[in-house]
Amino acid sequence: MTVRTSHPIVDAVLDRHHRKLGDALAVYRNHVFRGLNYQQLLLGEPVPDTAALAWAVHDLGIWTAGTFDYLKPSADLVTEHAAEFGIEDIDSARRMVLDHHRLRRNDDRLTETFRIADRLDASGGLFRRPVTRANIKAVVAQLPYLGFHRFLARRVSTYALTHPTRPLPMVRW
């Protein structure tokens, strides 16, 4: 398996927002590329540029909007950057961002593989099917977690304590 560690769209978007990301840049970048690689495995072909843009911004609203209720601000970044990269199917890219924490299946193949790939990475490979352990090891060897799961646990617990009636605002039915 060849692990993809760069993509012109992802690299350009992350470079543009590197100040907002600060110390989290490497952690977020590796998460983005692990997800992109997992989606590529699930699709059986390279991810289209529409998905690459969605990967670049899917959680970025945490930093750009300063909130853990970040899906809409992240999806708005798709709209902001789409023309620059020749992305015409803005709705598809926005759907991937808005539905990547959806609990139910999505009938759109691109959105569904995006959702599964993100879940696979967020779970540390616990929910990996149909991706193999060997594939996960190969991806993580090139793109280590760098404290990604600690970051998630801290953010979730901090937000949940201050928003007890809506502790996981990004989860969709």
Side-chain angles (χ1 to χ4, degrees):
M1 169 183 186
T2 302
V3 177
R4 186 151 197 186
T5 59
S6 69
H7 186 286
I9 292 173
V10 174
D11 295 338
V13 170
L14 295 184
D15 184 53
R16 191 147 310 125
H17 295 283
H18 78 277
R19 283 193 181 96
K20 288 275 188 179
L21 284 159
D23 293 342
L25 175 61
V27 174
Y28 182 64
R29 181 184 187 286
N30 282 9
H31 167 59
V32 166
F33 278 107
R34 284 190 307 269
L36 187 143
N37 278 281
Y38 298 144
Q39 186 179 25
Q40 185 168 294
L41 284 167
L42 293 164
L43 288 170
E45 61 191 26
V47 298
D49 287 350
T50 304
L53 178 58
W55 278 112
V57 303
H58 78 287
D59 294 336
L60 200 52
I62 292 171
W63 295 273
T64 61
T67 180
F68 206 57
D69 191 0
Y70 59 86
L71 292 181
K72 184 181 178 322
S74 296
D76 290 345
L77 290 169
V78 166
T79 306
E80 181 181 320
H81 292 293
E84 175 184 353
F85 301 109
I87 306 294
E88 294 180 5
D89 193 353
I90 295 170
D91 290 341
S92 177
R94 286 181 62 89
R95 187 171 38 257
M96 282 181 262
V97 172
L98 292 170
D99 286 352
H100 81 274
H101 290 300
R102 185 176 161 162
L103 297 175
R104 291 178 292 150
R105 274 185 67 80
N106 193 299
D107 292 335
D108 177 73
R109 182 172 183 252
L110 201 55
T111 302
E112 180 63 7
T113 55
F114 191 100
R115 185 183 76 85
I116 292 169
D118 186 72
R119 180 186 66 200
L120 192 160
D121 193 54
S123 73
L126 184 63
F127 301 109
R128 65 177 167 77
R129 296 195 187 263
V131 176
T132 67
R133 277 197 177 102
N135 288 144
I136 293 169
K137 283 185 175 189
V139 170
V140 173
Q142 294 291 313
L143 300 158
Y145 292 117
L146 303 176
F148 173 66
H149 297 99
R150 258 190 322 278
F151 166 81
L152 285 180
R154 259 193 333 266
R155 286 290 182 134
V156 167
S157 59
T158 300
Y159 191 88
L161 288 171
T162 57
H163 299 82
T165 60
R166 194 166 175 242
L168 298 170
M170 77 296 289
V171 175
R172 302 287 186 256
W173 181 246

